[in-house]
Amino acid sequence: MPSQDYSQAAKLSERLEQRLVDSLESDFKTTRRAVLGGLGLAGSAALTGIGRADSDEHHGPGEDSHGNFGATGEYSDTDFDPHEFLYQFNTGRGEQKNVPQDVYEENGRTVREFTFQAVDTTVSIAPGIEFPAWAYNGQVPGPTIRAVEGDLIRVKFENLGRHAHTIHPHLRNLNPEMDGIPQNGPGVLNTGESFTYEWIAQPAGVHFYHCHSLPLKEHIHRGLYGAIIIDPDPDRVTQRPEEYCDFHRSQITDELRAELVAEAKTRNHEYAENDPINEMVMVMNGFDTNFDGGNEVYAANTRAFAYSVGETDGRGNWKAGETKRPIQIDGQQRQRVYLANATEFDLINSFHTHSQFFDYYDHGTTLTPTLQTVDTVMQCQAQRGIIELDYSDHDPGLYMFHAHQSEFAELGWMSFFEVV
Ligand SMILES: [Cu+2]
């Protein structure tokens, strides 16, 4: 492989990151002064913004208790690794230590069981910058759940946070008790309460789950969200192919049926056809660090610039311990990104590739692309889809992708694939 010079990209990444951290620092100082100054005059009015922020929650960025404020470089907190998160699919087989899980048969159906706990925690969103989050199992985004169409997903949920929470799944859920909203079933779960949600995994696609307590925007923005991937069942596709494409049943030929079934196998983690595909999860999110109702930091998978360029020897080897690096991919491998938008406060987010076009499957519910040969897609809040990329014609090196709201890109949602 030819040696690549990434120093220019590394410098630019570092400059953007430093600028973001500096702006957060000065913004926080201003906000903090305003809050402290306003307290005497206006009581708690200055503390409104998006939540009833009790004093404990204001252990925000820059508080003395968090020490290393303003330091750039690597993340010291390694509890959450956005590079690992890309590839963590919880299917019930114990993939993630912090997600108790199991898979078993019950009444002829595969059950995938998970234990979720809502907790209050802090998450690192830029070097030295911590955000007071509410999180499923202590991580933002929450753990990715992966099941096969028709399975039963059983989530034993316990609320260990200080606010009331739920889990609301974006699935075709036939039982209102299981919808995870305040108005139905167990309603919101207060601190210490638990409930077991059961959802049939349907339809096939990439979906979303989030807390549905009020005020909704705060409960989502604080970090209570994640992705659910439902793999299509090839047997079901054989029986009802028209549900997986834009064609009417009368238009389904044997050839089309065979194509849909073959595609379904590539999407199903239990089939060997899925093995050669490099699959990743990206949840686009934003963080309102000063609680003024607008985001200061944007990312895919929480950490600003996590997939940008750090130090490398240009031969695919990154500095030991590096937490900021591109997503390394084998250019000959088909790439599939399960993309979801969990950004609050902004109407839409987007995904744009440089030097590349891709196929897009809106919500992932079809086995034929809903958009072909595009380099940008946008998603409203809670929208999601599957992106399929082919770099087999591309030279090795760095290929950028980012939100094409340029503001979001400069504030953290800027990434690279490193084709090796
Ligand atoms: Cu909540």
Side-chain angles (χ1 to χ4, degrees), residues 196-352:
T196 299
Y197 293 103
E198 290 188 345
W199 310 309
I200 300 295
Q202 59 183 359
V206 51
H207 304 306
F208 193 53
Y209 67 84
H210 62 86
C211 176
H212 215 296
S213 293
L214 301 175
L216 197 51
K217 66 183 176 182
E218 177 167 28
H219 282 256
I220 297 176
H221 160 255
R222 286 286 195 140
L224 293 164
Y225 48 77
I228 304 179
I229 296 167
I230 308 297
D231 296 344
D233 173 5
D235 292 339
R236 194 176 184 282
V237 177
T238 306
Q239 298 304 315
R240 316 170 86 154
E242 71 281 2
E243 292 185 16
Y244 300 86
C245 63
D246 285 347
F247 296 89
H248 183 263
R249 185 158 183 89
S250 63
Q251 298 171 292
I252 305 281
T253 60
D254 288 348
E255 196 186 1
L256 176 57
R257 188 192 307 260
E259 272 174 33
L260 294 171
V261 171
E263 184 62 20
K265 289 178 181 173
T266 76
R267 288 250 203 108
N268 188 313
H269 75 277
E270 295 190 325
Y271 283 77
E273 288 86 339
N274 176 251
D275 296 343
I277 300 174
N278 189 42
E279 298 186 309
M280 293 168 257
V281 180
M282 291 188 204
V283 179
M284 301 188 286
N285 49 5
F287 297 93
D288 175 12
T289 55
N290 59 13
F291 299 97
D292 66 353
N295 296 311
E296 279 73 42
V297 176
Y298 294 87
N301 301 341
T302 300
R303 286 191 176 176
F305 302 117
Y307 311 119
S308 66
V309 183
E311 280 186 53
T312 175
D313 65 358
R315 292 178 180 275
N317 299 312
W318 296 86
K319 204 179 109 186
E322 188 67 67
T323 53
K324 184 178 65 192
R325 61 182 189 275
I327 299 169
Q328 229 167 40
I329 57 171
D330 172 350
Q332 297 309 311
Q333 213 177 1
R334 183 167 157 195
Q335 309 293 323
R336 179 178 286 149
V337 178
Y338 294 96
L339 181 75
N341 181 17
T343 316
E344 268 307 328
F345 310 123
D346 295 287
L347 292 180
I348 56 165
N349 205 326
S350 59
F351 184 104
H352 163 69

Side-chain angles (χ1 to χ4, degrees), residues 12 17 64 85 111 120 181 196 213 265 291 296 314 321 388 390:
L12 185 61
E17 187 182 69
D64 289 340
F85 179 83
V111 179
D120 299 344
I181 57 171
T196 299
S213 293
K265 289 178 181 173
F291 299 97
E296 279 73 42
E388 289 202 344
D390 174 6

Side-chain angles (χ1 to χ4, degrees), residues 1 6 327 329-331 391 394-399 417-420:
M1 188 180 68
Y6 295 162
I327 299 169
I329 57 171
D330 172 350
Y391 282 91
H394 288 61
D395 288 340
L398 294 174
Y399 293 93
F417 287 116
E418 183 192 13
V419 174
V420 294

